[in-house]
Amino acid sequence: MNKLLCASIFIFCFSLFAFAQTQNYVCPEIKVLGPDGLVKVGETITFSATIDGKTPNSNMEFEWTVSQGTILDQQGLPEIRVMTTKEMEGSNVTVKVKVKGLFDCNKEASETAVIESLPSDHGNPPYQYSKSSLEEEFERIDNLLVTLQNIPQSTGYILFEIEKTEDLGDVKKRLKKIFSHIFVKRKINRSLISYDICYAEDNTTSFYIILEGASLPEIPNCKRVDIDLK
C-alpha cells in the first residue's frame, strides 16, 4: 500500500513538473532563407531552414515540399537545392518545410523565389498565360514586375486578348483591378506600363519587357477594343 502511494505521489509530482515545463516553454521561430534577388533560368536555388536564427541541431528532421522544380538533395536535411528549368521562366518557386523534433509548436515555414523572365523587345513575349483567377494573375504579374524593376530603363507592355463573346463590362472590371494592383498596390509608375486590348479567338494575356530604345511589338491582325479604364 505504501509503495503504491509513493508511486502515485511520484507520478503526480512528475506530471506537475512536466506541465510547468510546458507552460514555460517558448516556441522557437522557424524561417526558410532563399535567394536575395531574381533567379536565372536553369540555376539551382538553395533554401535553408533556421531556428531562432541559428543552424538547427542534428536531432531534428526536415520534410521539404516544392511547388515546382526538382529537389536535388535527400529529405531530412536543413538545406536543399532546387533545380529550375526553361519552362519555369517568369514564375516562382515556393518551398515549405516541416520540422520534426520540436515541441508542440508551429513546425512549418515557407519561402518563395522568383525566376526571371527573359527580356525581349519583339517576337515571342517573355510571359504569356490564359485567363485565370485574379489571384493567379496578380502572382504572375508580380513576377514580371520584379523583372521590369531589375532591368534599368526598361518598360512593360501588356497585350490583353479577349474573345468577342465576352461582356465588355466584365472585361473592364477585371482590367481595372489588374491596373489598380500594378499602380496602386505595387506603386509602379504609370509611365512604365502601356497596353492594348484586342479581340482574339482565345483569352490570353501577354507581358513584354521593352528594352531601352526598342519599339513596341507588332501585333498582327489586332482588332483593338477601346475600353476606358479611368
Side-chain angles (χ1 to χ4, degrees):
M1 183 68 179
N2 289 336
K3 289 183 178 180
L4 179 60
L5 179 60
C6 289
S8 299
I9 293 173
F10 175 79
I11 294 172
F12 176 73
C13 292
F14 181 81
S15 299
L16 284 178
F17 175 77
F19 178 76
Q21 290 293 97
T22 302
Q23 292 298 98
N24 294 327
Y25 185 81
V26 178
C27 290
E29 181 182 16
I30 305 171
K31 286 186 177 180
V32 177
L33 305 180
D36 293 330
L38 288 173
V39 177
K40 294 184 180 298
V41 174
E43 279 189 345
T44 299
I45 315 172
T46 299
F47 296 94
S48 56
T50 65
I51 298 178
D52 281 341
K54 300 177 182 178
T55 302
N57 62 53
S58 58
N59 296 327
M60 298 176 184
E61 292 187 21
F62 299 82
E63 182 180 304
W64 295 90
T65 57
V66 61
S67 61
Q68 61 174 334
T70 303
I71 297 177
L72 300 178
D73 304 285
Q74 65 182 14
Q75 291 283 359
L77 301 176
E79 183 176 284
I80 60 166
R81 294 170 300 146
V82 178
M83 175 64 74
T84 66
T85 64
K86 174 65 173 63
E87 290 71 28
M88 296 162 65
E89 173 192 350
S91 64
N92 57 23
V93 176
T94 298
V95 299
K96 295 182 181 180
V97 65
K98 184 174 182 179
V99 182
K100 299 178 180 179
L102 285 177
F103 206 71
D104 188 17
C105 298
N106 175 37
K107 304 179 179 68
E108 297 182 346
S110 64
E111 175 66 348
T112 297
V114 179
I115 303 173
E116 70 174 3
S117 296
L118 302 179
S120 173
D121 57 341
H122 57 78
N124 294 327
Y127 199 72
Q128 188 176 72
Y129 60 90
S130 300
K131 187 176 181 180
S132 54
S133 69
L134 276 173
E135 289 75 16
E136 291 175 320
E137 278 199 276
F138 292 162
E139 181 178 309
R140 292 184 174 104
I141 288 173
D142 281 344
N143 293 333
L144 293 158
L145 293 178
V146 171
T147 302
L148 180 65
Q149 291 176 306
N150 280 275
I151 302 177
Q153 308 304 317
S154 66
T155 59
Y157 171 75
I158 309 176
L159 174 64
F160 298 101
E161 293 179 289
I162 64 173
E163 299 176 48
K164 292 182 179 180
T165 56
E166 285 193 77
D167 183 274
L168 293 184
D170 291 338
V171 173
K172 181 175 181 178
K173 290 178 183 177
R174 170 191 161 220
L175 298 190
K176 288 187 72 171
K177 288 179 180 178
I178 289 173
F179 284 121
S180 176
H181 179 82
I182 294 173
F183 300 130
V184 179
K185 185 173 183 178
R186 298 306 182 203
K187 303 186 186 316
I188 300 297
N189 191 310
R190 290 180 179 270
S191 65
L192 296 179
I193 303 289
S194 57
Y195 71 93
D196 275 314
I197 308 168
C198 297
Y199 279 128
E201 293 184 2
D202 299 310
N203 191 311
T204 304
T205 299
S206 305
F207 196 116
Y208 295 78
I209 303 295
I210 309 299
L211 303 180
E212 183 180 14
S215 57
L216 295 179
E218 294 183 5
I219 311 299
N221 304 318
C222 173
K223 297 180 180 179
R224 284 178 169 79
V225 184
D226 185 19
I227 300 178
D228 184 7
L229 298 179
K230 296 181 181 179

